[in-house]
Amino acid sequence: MSIKLPFLKFKDKQIPDKKRIEQQNIPEHVAIIMDGNGRWANKRGLPRVAGHKEGVGAVQKVVRAADKLHISALTLFAFSTENWQRSKTEVDFLMRMPKQFFHKYLPELMERNVRVETVGNFEQLPDHTKKAVWNAVEKTKDNDGLLLNFALNYGGRLDIMQAAKKMAEDIKKDELSIADVDESVFGSYLYTNGMSEPDLLIRTSGEKRISNFMLWQCAYSEFWFTEVFWPDFDEEVFMQAIQAYQQRKRRFGSV
Ligand code: FPP
């Protein structure tokens, strides 16, 4: 007969010791590909959208955890340029998520001094989504705490392409010379202009790919994957990711 000791149970659950987070080595910018909402719902015999609804709570949990660690920026991949291919019901539901999120959490975001931003093709979003996001961006614009950046109708290729087009227009208008174009200049045309590049990219649900997310910006990001579906993501899993990041040796091509 085996005896189950409480500390073994504790160990099995891999509860991280928060004291083991080194305050000196916190990633400045964390980006998350929130994946697995549909599978979370399927497993429970619920419609896919129930997973998205539950995922809203996980968003706020991660905001609180990031704020607690004084992380500077948190980017969340909320809707990709490819997500339009989903059913109209699901797309409509996802487009209502920002309004629901801000309705519930904007007062807390203000209390936490969080600044909301968005990257992606904003123009293509339905008016009610634009209004909800814009209202949050406006209300939080003077906050100087955590930058909460929603990637909405975002695609890495779209980002690079729109930057190349805008840059070409400026060259054509003689406002920029080809000789002056370098990585920093090109980066200033991207949706993420003015933001730091993600130090850590987390993807949930066991998938191990980048799926057209920040292709330029993640050139030197550390990747961390978890089997956890997004609706189950919480502070504990977030801390595991941070601890894993702190074990990495970042060399940026050097030795
Ligand atoms: C991927 O899971 C998730 C999405 C495409 C949407 C993410 C949206 C939320 C978490 C809602 C919160 C959003 C805001 C703006 C507050 P999936 O549906 O692809 O899951 P699956 O791979 O299991 O099917």
Side-chain angles (χ1 to χ4, degrees), residues 19-34:
K19 290 191 201 102
R20 271 175 35 219
I21 301 278
E22 298 163 40
Q23 294 305 317
Q24 267 44 266
N25 188 15
I26 300 288
E28 196 179 310
H29 186 168
V30 178
I32 310 185
I33 302 179
M34 310 181 286

Side-chain angles (χ1 to χ4, degrees), residues 106-200:
L106 191 54
E108 188 183 332
L109 297 180
M110 288 301 291
E111 265 173 45
R112 288 183 180 274
N113 194 23
V114 171
R115 181 164 65 90
V116 176
E117 263 297 349
T118 179
V119 287
N121 184 339
F122 197 70
E123 283 315 305
Q124 261 181 14
L125 297 172
D127 285 344
H128 65 91
T129 313
K130 279 193 237 181
K131 213 172 132 191
V133 176
W134 197 242
N135 178 52
V137 170
E138 266 299 299
K139 288 233 163 80
T140 62
K141 71 175 190 302
D142 296 325
N143 293 347
D144 58 5
L146 172 72
L147 165 69
L148 174 59
N149 183 33
F150 285 102
L152 273 169
N153 193 19
Y154 179 85
R157 287 180 178 177
L158 169 75
D159 197 356
I160 293 168
M161 198 179 61
Q162 66 79 33
K165 278 186 183 171
K166 272 195 284 175
M167 211 175 68
E169 274 166 23
D170 283 354
I171 291 170
K172 207 167 136 190
K173 285 189 276 174
D174 270 339
E175 285 171 14
L176 177 71
S177 99
I178 293 177
D180 289 338
V181 176
D182 60 12
E183 288 183 12
S184 156
V185 168
F186 188 79
S188 71
Y189 285 89
L190 293 167
Y191 288 129
T192 46
N193 177 30
M195 297 177 191
S196 62
E197 293 178 355
D199 299 292
L200 171 64

Side-chain angles (χ1 to χ4, degrees), residues 31-51:
I32 310 185
I33 302 179
M34 310 181 286
D35 198 9
N37 293 353
R39 278 165 285 165
W40 180 94
N42 260 344
K43 251 177 69 180
R44 288 161 179 77
L46 298 168
R48 290 179 53 79
V49 293

Side-chain angles (χ1 to χ4, degrees), residues 43-60:
K43 251 177 69 180
R44 288 161 179 77
L46 298 168
R48 290 179 53 79
V49 293
H52 299 318
K53 199 171 165 199
E54 193 70 18
V56 172
V59 167
Q60 191 58 8

